[in-house]
Amino acid sequence: MTCGASVTGRIPRVLSIAGTDPSGGAGLQADLKAFSAHGAYGMGVVTALVSQNTTGVRDVHVPPIEFLRSQLDAVSDDVTIDAIKIGMLFDAPIIAEVADWLDTLPKRTSHSDDGASGESVDGTISPEGTPAPIVVLDPVMVATSGDRLLKADAEKALHDLLRHVDLVTPNIPELAVLAGTAPATTAGEALDQAHGVAAAHDVLVLAKGGHLTDDTVIDALVRPDGSAERFTGPRIDTRNTHGTGCSISAAIAALWPRTGDPVLAVDTAKSWMTSSLRHADELHVGHGSGPIHHFAQLWERGLAPNAATIADQWWESIADLRDAIDDLDFVKGLGSGTLPEEAFRFYLAQDALYLNGYARALAAASALAPTQDEQMFWSYAAHGALAGEMELHRSFLGDDAGDTGAGAIDASPVTRAYVDHLVATAARGSYGELIAAVLPCFWLYRDIGHRLIALNHPSHPYSRWLDTYADESFDADTTKAIDICSRHATTATTTERAAMDRAFRLSSWHEVEFFAAPMRR
């Protein structure tokens, strides 16, 4: 299927009919962002030029009605429209002109069965077999700032427009106007009002609970036949809610032709809105009620580099530390075989103690792993650290290598610092941060092993060590560890990715210190 395609195999073509917001958070500008965030091609017809920002509305200029119709016809004469999102209409003449234009378009069937029983409904084909756009109305009456965006004498015209609409998405005050009652104070009252509007106008009604005060926001999609679907989500503590109504209705308009199911479209849009509100404070736009973050999910995940690029970035980020390792007398002597035995035995004794802590960190990674494959890999690696690598150490040092009991050698300050870093990351860090912290012990050892193996020979005093870290099985394990870490980073949040970067570099620095310690005594 084409990227972002609808159930028909096409990328949805969605039209916004709305007012403008030069600050970009609401109106036509917000609609286009929401369309793009959900894989639709966005188009826009301007009903009113609004001078506004995050603190309020300063002025409204309404172009001639003839120009509005010219815009509408220019789009429909040339482009097949899969969905229409209607926002600010301002006055009765604008509403009448939009209604007249909608009358020229193919009509959809009744909305009573849309999405009922969980069945997908494409809804883009009229009874005559011609494309019929889905119409979503956000009945914009008052801006987030409190400024009125619909003249009071236009409310009856807005009621009449509902016969052209598939879904209307009022907030609590707007729902009260449509229902002809006082604003609801509970989710139950809002649901009752939505039932009345849906039945009276044969329209789907999304009753939004954002204006209520409960910790859990409850929205309800109500059908004309009285059936309903409930959607719940956390209330996000932010003042930056500018354009929420515009944006969620636009998201649904983009998603409905993609999914063929209004229930799924609303559910997906609500999850997106929660994320957009949660990240709204990151934008720092304006001094009032700022905009939501329409592209939070894309910027955190969709725009992240692929796994191979991330792995390359990590490796290049420690080029200075890798050069430092190569310059160490310990590593040079290990390769040439001239390393004093006392220094090598000190290194092995400390490494045996380190492996105890390292294995615990690997086991913690196994416990946190999101998939069975990753859980098995880290568990296997923890076993390998104690059974495989420790056996190598004992072949040089004897059976007491790694012993922490009475009379055992003490961990050096360098060893304690490295182990403490891993233990702290396992205790307080995320899964991504932890696996990034254990990765350098794989990667740097493989790098050293691959480059030093060319210096190995049968009489080399440290031949077995060189063979171990140039071994094909260790090579494969390292590749697997890099793959797991870098793939996780592609889906990590911005915060976790930064923590992974820091953990990877800090562990790499500890590796430099660990290799340097035997020759510093």
Side-chain angles (χ1 to χ4, degrees):
M1 180 178 286
T2 303
C3 180
S6 69
V7 292
T8 65
R10 296 186 304 268
I11 293 173
R13 296 148 295 187
V14 187
L15 172 65
S16 169
I17 304 172
T20 64
D21 176 5
S23 68
L28 186 66
Q29 286 87 340
D31 290 350
L32 293 175
K33 291 175 184 176
F35 295 161
S36 295
H38 293 93
Y41 176 79
M43 302 169 284
V45 165
V46 176
T47 58
L49 298 165
V50 185
S51 174
Q52 66 171 310
N53 56 30
T54 64
T55 64
V57 175
R58 300 183 178 186
D59 197 6
V60 178
H61 172 70
V62 178
I65 292 297
E66 295 78 13
F67 183 68
L68 169 63
R69 185 55 180 259
S70 177
Q71 293 180 79
L72 293 167
D73 289 341
V75 176
S76 60
D77 287 349
D78 183 46
V79 181
T80 300
I81 305 169
D82 297 301
I84 300 167
K85 180 272 166 108
I86 302 174
M88 177 185 175
L89 296 175
F90 191 63
D91 61 20
I94 292 176
I95 295 173
E97 194 64 41
V98 171
D100 185 71
W101 175 75
L102 288 172
D103 273 332
T104 69
L105 304 180
K107 302 297 184 292
R108 283 170 32 83
T109 56
S110 171
H111 318 300
S112 298
D113 298 323
D114 276 351
S117 305
E119 296 179 1
S120 292
V121 179
D122 186 350
T124 59
I125 303 299
S126 71
E128 295 77 25
T130 53
I134 295 161
V135 181
V136 177
L137 170 65
D138 176 28
V140 177
M141 299 179 187
V142 180
T144 302
S145 61
D147 298 285
R148 192 167 184 88
L149 297 176
L150 179 72
K151 290 184 176 180
D153 59 5
E155 290 176 2
K156 182 182 182 305
L158 191 66
H159 277 85
D160 295 341
L161 184 65
L162 292 179
R163 67 184 178 87
H164 296 280
V165 172
D166 299 298
L167 169 67
V168 60
T169 62
N171 59 30
I172 292 296
E174 293 162 351
L175 179 59
V177 172
L178 294 177
T181 61
T185 58
T186 67
E189 291 178 2
L191 184 61
D192 289 340
Q193 292 177 8
H195 277 298
V197 174
H201 298 281
D202 187 31
V203 66
L204 290 170
V205 178
L206 178 63
K208 301 178 297 186
H211 281 64
L212 300 177
T213 58
D214 300 317
D215 291 338
T216 299
V217 178
I218 301 174
D219 299 342
L221 181 64
V222 180
R223 303 182 186 89
D225 64 5
S227 60
E229 306 287 342
R230 280 165 48 101
F231 308 88
T232 61
R235 185 174 298 280
I236 305 302
D237 183 18
T238 177
R239 73 170 185 168
N240 296 316
T241 58
H242 185 53
T244 50
C246 306
S247 299
I248 195 164
S249 59
I252 296 167
L255 287 163
W256 191 342
R258 284 192 63 193
T259 63
D261 182 356
V263 177
L264 180 56
V266 171
D267 189 38
T268 304
K270 184 171 176 64
S271 297
W272 167 79
M273 177 57 68
T274 299
S275 174
S276 298
L277 285 166
R278 182 174 287 120
H279 293 277
D281 294 354
E282 298 172 7
L283 292 178
H284 304 289
V285 174
H287 296 92
S289 175
I292 66 170
H293 195 331
H294 293 81
F295 298 113
Q297 293 179 337
L298 285 176
W299 290 4
E300 286 194 337
R301 294 180 173 85
L303 299 182
N306 61 34
T309 299
I310 289 173
D312 289 343
Q313 290 172 347
W314 279 341
W315 192 240
E316 288 303 313
S317 74
I318 60 167
D320 58 325
L321 300 179
R322 292 188 283 115
D323 289 343
I325 289 175
D326 289 346
D327 286 340
L328 292 174
D329 290 338
F330 177 87
V331 173
K332 293 176 181 177
L334 185 62
S336 65
T338 60
L339 180 69
E341 182 179 354
E342 179 184 3
F344 184 67
R345 292 178 67 84
F346 175 84
Y347 156 78
L348 286 180
Q350 292 300 315
D351 197 44
L353 295 174
Y354 162 81
L355 286 173
N356 289 326
Y358 183 60
R360 292 181 187 277
L362 293 168
S366 177
L368 294 172
T371 67
Q372 187 180 67
D373 179 61
E374 292 178 30
Q375 182 182 8
M376 292 174 61
F377 174 77
W378 297 120
S379 178
Y380 164 79
H383 177 269
L386 293 178
E389 293 187 78
M390 194 68 81
E391 192 279 329
L392 169 67
H393 292 54
R394 287 171 180 157
S395 71
F396 284 97
L397 301 177
D399 293 340
D400 292 337
D403 187 10
T404 57
I409 65 170
D410 293 329
S412 72
V414 170
T415 303
R416 285 198 303 271
Y418 197 174
V419 172
D420 286 349
H421 160 59
L422 296 178
V423 171
T425 304
R428 297 191 294 269
S430 67
Y431 172 68
E433 188 176 358
L434 177 56
I435 60 178
V438 300
L439 181 59
C441 195
F442 283 93
W443 208 344
L444 289 171
Y445 268 76
R446 182 180 72 174
D447 179 59
I448 295 170
H450 277 188
R451 289 185 292 105
L452 297 187
I453 192 63
L455 302 175
N456 202 7
H457 53 81
S459 60
H460 196 295
Y462 310 122
S463 176
R464 192 170 179 191
W465 189 98
L466 298 179
D467 285 339
T468 296
Y469 296 109
D471 181 73
E472 289 184 2
S473 62
F474 184 72
D475 187 26
D477 290 343
T478 300
T479 299
K480 177 78 170 180
I482 295 169
D483 180 62
I484 290 174
C485 291
S486 56
R487 280 192 294 106
H488 183 85
T490 64
T491 60
T493 65
T494 303
T495 300
E496 185 182 31
R497 172 64 196 281
M500 292 178 73
D501 293 347
R502 289 192 300 269
F504 178 76
R505 182 168 177 86
L506 182 53
S507 289
S508 299
W509 177 83
H510 278 295
E511 290 289 346
V512 178
E513 293 298 297
F514 201 87
F515 282 124
M519 304 298 286
R520 289 177 177 169
R521 295 181 305 125

